[in-house]
Amino acid sequence: MQPYTVWQVTRLVLHRKFVKMREGRQMTKSDGGPDAARRPLSRDSILAAALELVDADGLEALTMRALGARLGVEAMSIYHHLPSKQAVIDGIVDLVWAEVTLTGDSRDWRTAVRRTARSAFTTLLHHPWANRIRATSGGPARMAYIDASLGHLRSAGFTPEQAFHAHHVLEAYIQGYVIQALDFAPTDAATEREQRDAALAYLEQVGHTHLIEHVNLHASDQGSGFDFGLMLLLDGLDGRLERRDPQ
């Protein structure tokens, strides 16, 4: 069986999310749903419940009271295990980054960077709220991801200063593409077609031929541009490495 492409994984993730949205929110404790069962309270169980809550309802839904209700305990009980809401957020952010597959030592730095970047992209599509969290949030898993990313670049021969900038450029690309993928996620096909037809009619009137061509390409399945953009980034980094530019 051939491995899934990034675009196939992206479409699968987005499809599942929109199906889940159509089916409605998960039942809460007051609904008598599956979350009504009392879980043994621990840091791990609290963070697992918080991740479920945020994945289902968004980061805005995370309050200590809502989390307590999901666990079947009073909100104050949570503070015995996690000192604040920010500690909960940091904890679930780290659970997300723990899902990223870190490529081990590789003689081919491009392959290592590409695999890690793909995994981070797919993971953030599963948990898009985490894309909005400031980069300093997280814990051991987040730090391990950053160290691995820098390690791949340093092993390729980049200076610490070059690796510093290259890592941030790669992160910005991954997180930015998550935003774009979600913005272009399929909604209502009939509405999209109506809006596209209206836009094309206007563009033909004003003669924006290149934009007409671009809009028409959006109407067909062009696959994900993530791999293409990542390849351009890696080509640029590779070229700088070959020239041994100081900056």
Side-chain angles (χ1 to χ4, degrees):
M1 179 181 293
Q2 295 295 321
Y4 286 113
T5 65
V6 171
W7 177 237
Q8 288 172 322
V9 172
T10 301
R11 295 190 67 180
L12 180 61
V13 170
L14 295 176
H15 173 73
R16 287 176 177 172
K17 284 187 176 295
F18 280 97
V19 168
K20 187 175 183 180
M21 289 172 61
R22 287 198 300 268
E23 291 175 346
R25 303 296 188 189
Q26 292 180 336
M27 292 196 301
T28 63
K29 176 177 178 290
S30 60
D31 296 322
D35 292 315
R38 176 80 172 266
R39 311 182 191 193
L41 202 61
S42 67
R43 184 181 186 277
D44 289 345
S45 67
I46 291 169
L47 293 179
L51 183 58
E52 292 173 0
L53 173 62
V54 173
D55 279 345
D57 299 330
L59 191 62
E60 299 80 4
L62 179 61
T63 65
M64 298 306 247
R65 178 173 294 182
L67 183 54
R70 195 175 190 89
L71 289 160
V73 301
E74 293 296 327
M76 290 303 296
S77 300
I78 297 172
Y79 291 102
H80 293 295
H81 303 272
L82 290 150
S84 64
K85 177 180 173 180
Q86 186 59 51
V88 175
I89 293 174
D90 288 346
I92 61 175
V93 167
D94 214 46
L95 289 179
V96 169
W97 284 101
E99 295 179 16
V100 177
T101 300
L102 302 182
T103 304
D105 292 338
S106 173
R107 294 181 181 179
D108 181 0
W109 69 273
R110 289 181 59 123
T111 298
V113 170
R114 184 172 63 251
R115 288 175 178 172
T116 302
R118 279 179 172 177
S119 181
F121 173 65
T122 303
T123 298
L124 290 174
L125 278 177
H126 278 282
H127 310 281
W129 58 269
N131 210 37
R132 299 164 40 200
I133 305 296
R134 63 192 180 94
T136 53
S137 290
R142 170 69 176 161
M143 288 186 283
Y145 163 78
I146 296 172
D147 187 70
S149 174
L150 292 170
H152 297 322
L153 294 166
R154 291 287 287 122
S155 66
F158 291 103
T159 66
E161 294 77 16
Q162 289 172 331
F164 172 87
H165 291 298
H167 166 74
H168 288 301
V169 168
L170 288 165
E171 275 230 310
Y173 175 71
I174 294 166
Q175 295 178 353
Y177 214 96
V178 169
I179 294 172
Q180 177 167 284
L182 293 171
D183 284 345
F184 280 92
T187 53
D188 181 78
T191 300
E192 285 188 353
R193 185 163 49 251
E194 181 179 339
Q195 292 173 343
R196 184 172 61 250
D197 289 345
L200 285 171
Y202 169 77
L203 293 174
E204 288 173 357
Q205 287 180 1
V206 296
H208 291 332
T209 56
H210 299 301
L211 187 51
I212 291 171
E213 184 179 69
H214 184 79
V215 171
N216 282 325
L217 285 172
H218 269 293
S220 58
D221 186 358
Q222 297 300 312
S224 173
F226 180 80
D227 280 338
F228 181 76
L230 185 59
M231 178 187 67
L232 294 179
L233 282 177
L234 294 178
D235 285 347
L237 290 172
D238 211 356
R240 174 152 299 212
L241 190 63
E242 290 176 358
R243 293 192 303 270
R244 297 292 175 180
D245 289 347
Q247 298 295 329

